[in-house]
Amino acid sequence: MLAVKWLPTLVLFVLALIPASGYAEPESLRVATRIIRPFVFEEGGRLTGFSIDLWQEISAQLNVQTEFIVKGTLRELLDATLNDEADVGIAAISITEERERDWDFSHPMFDAGLQILIPQEGEGGDLGSLAGSLFNARFLPLVIFVIVGALLAGHIVWLFERKRTDGFLNSPNYFPGIFESTFWATTTLATQAEGWPKSAVARVVSVFWMFVAVLFVAIFTAAVTSELTVQKLRSEIQGPEDLPGKIVATVRNSTSARYLSANAIHTTEFNSVEEAIQALEKGDPDAIVFDAPVLQYYASHEGTGKVQVVGPVFRKEAYGIQFPKDSRWRKVVNEALLRLRENGTYDRLLVKWFGGEGGKGGR
Ligand code: GLU
């Protein structure tokens, strides 16, 4: 019969029309991220870094394709999964109780925490900033008093000395004479004057002026000493207990920003840690508080010789992969994460990016 003869062909034809799930086009996931070294880098238009490598391994396990969406700020990154712009968020996102309310997170994928970055020490007092802080409004009255005093002492001495042939001035005329006597008053102030007036009134004025000079030098020395101490105290940040009273930079909306405001520490916030570091290197803030692995990576790479990490990791945190609430991807991503830990891939990535110690050391 014709139908029987053609039946196998017909069956094959029908089967070919049904898409077999094993051969289906892999699904594509929209993955939001942001540049935060060494977790996410952009190198020659390509993304790389610990978190990117880890995600590539996970997506291979899940047999999905990835479309990365790079966000500029932490807020934009977090919101991408909230606004259905992305299915997944991965970078250096800390799992917090507050975020757990609005998002779901994978198992922890990296142990991090907060630490402090300060400018490299050992340059001694900065003369420029010392001069700046001495010649400010506080010392202006003292400086004016001394200038007026020197002019006044100069004038009195000139007045009584100019007529004397045995006087210590070379010229009786006003300008050369005043110049000489004021020069004399100024050198009396700083060191020791050459010459000594001969007239009685000028001598009395001289003694009085020398007394003022001693006082001035004492006050000035005390001011320089206390200013140097203040500068030294400002640079003496050894751990989080030294932060109150200092100006601290960090990244807007980060867990560090939360920590600093909860501890009432004077904070300047930036959109990225790079901007905070630029400000630190210019000397604006006294320190940066941010994610320990990020600060350590910078200090041991581009920042060598310029900045240093101080104190312990004082608040432990874990990074996670972020999902919208009730995402169907969370469970499979967790399974893939566990598989990568069990088969050694995770450790290989740690060694590649952190020299083996997660969160400590460099590539
Ligand atoms: N780990 C920090 C946080 O989640 C900083 C992340 C970032 O700046 O990208 O708040």
Side-chain angles (χ1 to χ4, degrees):
M1 248 164 65
L2 192 69
V4 174
K5 192 176 162 201
W6 285 98
L7 196 61
T9 321
L10 198 71
V11 169
L12 276 180
F13 181 73
V14 170
L15 277 181
L17 286 181
I18 303 169
S21 61
Y23 298 101
E25 261 288 290
E27 240 181 293
S28 183
L29 283 185
R30 299 161 303 165
V31 178
T33 189
R34 96 184 196 103
I35 307 299
I36 179 159
R37 280 172 256 225
F39 295 93
V40 183
F41 289 80
E42 191 150 24
E43 255 171 20
R46 274 191 61 248
L47 290 177
T48 173
F50 177 83
S51 299
I52 298 295
D53 277 1
L54 185 66
W55 177 257
Q56 301 291 19
E57 295 288 349
I58 293 171
S59 61
Q61 297 273 327
L62 303 185
N63 189 32
V64 292
Q65 283 186 340
T66 302
E67 182 205 323
F68 283 112
I69 306 165
V70 182
K71 292 292 180 184
T73 65
L74 179 56
R75 183 80 271 153
E76 286 168 358
L77 168 65
L78 295 174
D79 285 351
T81 37
L82 211 56
N83 304 336
D84 193 31
E85 245 189 282
D87 305 298
V88 176
I90 187 168
I93 307 174
S94 306
I95 307 173
T96 66
E97 191 238 73
E98 192 188 359
R99 291 175 185 167
E100 190 68 63
R101 277 183 237 146
D102 294 325
W103 289 274
D104 278 345
F105 283 96
S106 69
H107 293 162
M109 62 165 217
F110 194 87
D111 290 330
L114 307 187
Q115 217 170 4
I116 301 171
L117 189 80
I118 59 168
Q120 185 81 280
E121 277 170 4
E123 294 148 32
D126 179 349
L127 280 182
S129 70
L130 178 66
S133 45
L134 279 182
F135 294 102
N136 60 18
R138 202 148 52 100
F139 290 103
L140 209 59
L142 190 64
V143 172
I144 291 174
F145 173 78
V146 159
I147 293 172
V148 172
L151 281 171
L152 199 70
H155 275 78
I156 298 172
V157 168
W158 170 77
L159 209 63
F160 289 94
E161 289 286 297
R162 71 195 158 126
K163 300 270 171 54
R164 292 181 80 108
T165 45
D166 63 341
F168 86 134
L169 298 178
N170 291 322
S171 167
N173 294 334
Y174 182 76
F175 279 114
I178 282 295
F179 179 77
E180 260 186 276
S181 59
T182 311
F183 182 73
W184 166 84
T186 313
T187 50
T188 309
L189 200 65
T191 52
Q192 214 178 11
E194 289 172 22
W196 189 241
K198 295 286 181 315
S199 79
V201 179
R203 279 192 173 187
V204 171
V205 170
S206 302
V207 169
F208 178 74
W209 180 242
M210 285 174 109
F211 187 66
V212 170
V214 169
L215 273 183
F216 172 75
V217 169
I219 293 172
F220 192 75
T221 310
V224 170
T225 316
S226 67
E227 192 52 45
L228 279 176
T229 314
V230 168
Q231 276 194 9
K232 196 160 166 1
L233 283 177
R234 263 173 70 111
S235 71
E236 266 175 5
I237 299 177
Q238 301 294 336
E241 58 285 353
D242 302 323
L243 292 176
K246 308 290 190 311
I247 302 167
V248 181
T250 194
V251 172
R252 192 163 289 128
N253 296 311
S254 66
T255 46
S256 308
R258 270 288 153 109
Y259 169 88
L260 292 167
S261 75
N263 286 279
I265 293 164
H266 188 321
T267 312
T268 326
E269 296 183 352
F270 295 88
N271 277 335
S272 69
V273 72
E274 280 80 13
E275 288 170 46
I277 288 170
Q278 269 175 20
L280 183 79
E281 289 176 354
K282 274 203 299 177
D284 293 346
D286 300 314
I288 293 179
V289 166
F290 197 55
D291 298 32
V294 176
L295 298 182
Q296 288 174 11
Y297 187 85
Y298 180 77
S300 60
H301 289 77
E302 296 99 307
T304 320
K306 292 189 273 181
V307 291
Q308 66 188 89
V309 171
V310 288
V313 176
F314 57 89
R315 178 187 279 197
K316 299 230 182 301
E317 289 185 344
Y319 294 158
I321 302 170
Q322 186 200 24
F323 304 93
K325 273 246 164 277
D326 303 321
S327 163
R328 66 185 169 103
W329 293 104
R330 186 166 77 133
K331 190 167 158 43
V332 282
V333 165
N334 273 338
E335 283 164 9
L337 253 179
L338 291 172
R339 215 171 302 130
L340 294 172
R341 282 198 192 259
E342 284 162 19
N343 72 14
T345 310
Y346 181 87
D347 286 339
R348 186 171 55 72
L349 291 183
L350 271 192
V351 173
K352 175 177 171 189
W353 292 100
F354 299 96
E357 293 179 79
K360 302 191 185 74
R363 178 151 57 142

